[in-house]
Amino acid sequence: MEPLRVSLVGASGRMGQAVQDCARRHPETFALIGMPGRGDDWTAAFEHCDAVIDFSLPETTDALIEAVVAARKPLVVGTTGHDDEGRGRIAQAAKSVPILLAANFSVGVNALFWLTRKATEILGPDFDLEVIETHHRLKKDAPSGTARRLVEILADVRRLSLERDLRPGRVGNAGPREANEIGVHSVRGGDVVGEHTVLFAGMGERVELTHRAASRETFAAGALRAAAWLVRQKSGRIYDMEDVLGLREGDS
Ligand code: NAD
């Protein structure tokens, strides 16, 4: 079988380098055929690829989706930190071309998503919910895309509102904790690749679910795996890594 021809946006960044390293270790499966930068004609650059992978900045999204729609190519978005409008534009483009948007491509983190949903269901409303994430000193967005996804899962199971119930950090006279709060805390420092803990704190006991990434390889390998999966899918909705791994509720 011919290798999957991948075009990579953000190739010079930390994740871009990791995707390049991973693809080069598997030349029988993946061929990087384009790494366009700022100022390049992206639609033309995407013409001969099977799929596009993006690890750049949320500000790049508009130009990127315009180009993949024009070139009619599937897009894997690894970039995090999009606002609601950016996500809306990605959802609109997903009606025309297959798009997968994943806050985190690691199998372990996607298992953490699944376990978080189950633990929240089992433990019920008497447990206080807090998410703590730690990343390297250069990370731009906070909280991380993975922490946002964990918070979405907690809010979904407990039927809470992110606008009303999210507490990003606490400072000053924050007062006693409300039962419905979901705390989220971002720690930054050094070269930490990425750590996430979901804390379920009850009276007399607590449960902590933690994932620690030791290298970016797991994200890079997951993004390439997602691209190989996405080229076989139809447009219509935004996919995520839980679709690739068959972790959706109702999947057997
Ligand atoms: P980085 O700052 O090292 O790299 C970003 C790269 O994008 C830079 O090289 C920059 O030059 C390039 N870039 C920016 N605008 C561009 C444009 N218009 N055209 C072409 N290139 C452009 O950041 P990073 O650590 O590699 O992370 C990149 C993104 O991926 C971040 O949003 C980060 O949060 C996210 N991320 C996602 C996962 C995941 O599993 N989904 C894992 C790690 C990081």
Side-chain angles (χ1 to χ4, degrees):
M1 219 166 68
E2 291 295 307
L4 188 80
R5 296 167 303 171
V6 174
S7 200
L8 178 62
V9 174
S12 56
R14 284 174 291 265
M15 274 310 305
Q17 298 286 339
V19 172
Q20 290 188 56
D21 292 346
C22 189
R24 288 190 182 120
R25 277 197 299 278
H26 302 283
E28 68 296 343
T29 315
F30 302 107
L32 285 178
I33 66 150
M35 295 186 257
R38 290 182 186 84
D40 289 344
D41 179 344
W42 288 7
T43 309
F46 297 158
E47 190 184 344
H48 299 294
C49 74
D50 299 311
V52 178
I53 296 180
D54 166 47
F55 278 107
S56 58
L57 294 172
E59 295 84 77
T60 309
T61 302
D62 282 353
L64 180 62
I65 58 182
E66 205 174 292
V68 292
V69 169
R72 308 177 74 81
K73 300 294 176 181
L75 171 66
V76 172
V77 182
T79 302
T80 62
H82 299 99
D83 57 17
D84 289 345
E85 278 182 28
R87 277 172 172 263
R89 287 194 287 273
I90 295 171
Q92 189 61 31
K95 293 178 183 163
S96 311
V97 291
I99 296 186
L100 185 145
L101 175 66
N104 200 302
F105 288 103
S106 101
V107 175
V109 161
N110 282 277
L112 175 67
F113 291 155
W114 191 91
L115 291 166
T116 297
R117 183 172 290 281
K118 289 295 158 204
T120 315
E121 287 167 1
I122 292 165
L123 296 170
D126 290 341
F127 282 73
D128 296 331
L129 308 172
E130 301 274 317
V131 174
I132 305 111
E133 55 104 342
T134 307
H135 282 85
H136 55 91
R137 60 172 69 148
L138 296 174
K139 184 163 178 63
K140 296 192 179 75
D141 54 322
S144 69
T146 303
R148 284 167 194 264
R149 180 78 191 109
L150 287 165
V151 162
E152 279 172 14
I153 293 168
L154 297 171
D156 183 41
V157 177
R158 289 270 288 261
R159 301 194 193 293
L160 302 175
S161 147
L162 293 185
E163 289 75 37
R164 190 191 57 213
D165 301 317
L166 195 63
R167 293 290 171 277
R170 291 185 187 83
V171 287
N173 189 15
R177 194 187 193 288
E178 303 270 342
N180 278 348
E181 286 182 9
I182 303 176
V184 57
H185 312 278
S186 298
V187 180
R188 293 289 175 267
D191 61 355
V192 179
V193 172
E195 298 186 1
H196 294 87
T197 292
V198 186
L199 168 65
F200 300 87
M203 300 303 285
E205 61 177 340
R206 71 175 193 253
V207 178
E208 293 179 21
L209 299 176
T210 295
H211 176 272
R212 295 191 177 93
S215 88
R216 292 182 175 82
E217 197 179 323
T218 177
F219 308 134
L224 286 162
R225 177 176 174 178
W229 179 88
L230 190 63
V231 295
R232 301 192 305 270
Q233 311 306 317
K234 293 191 174 71
S235 58
R237 69 170 175 91
I238 300 181
Y239 298 101
D240 66 25
M241 205 55 193
E242 288 164 83
D243 296 303
V244 179
L245 299 172
L247 291 176
R248 281 222 172 272
E249 285 295 292
D251 287 348
S252 55

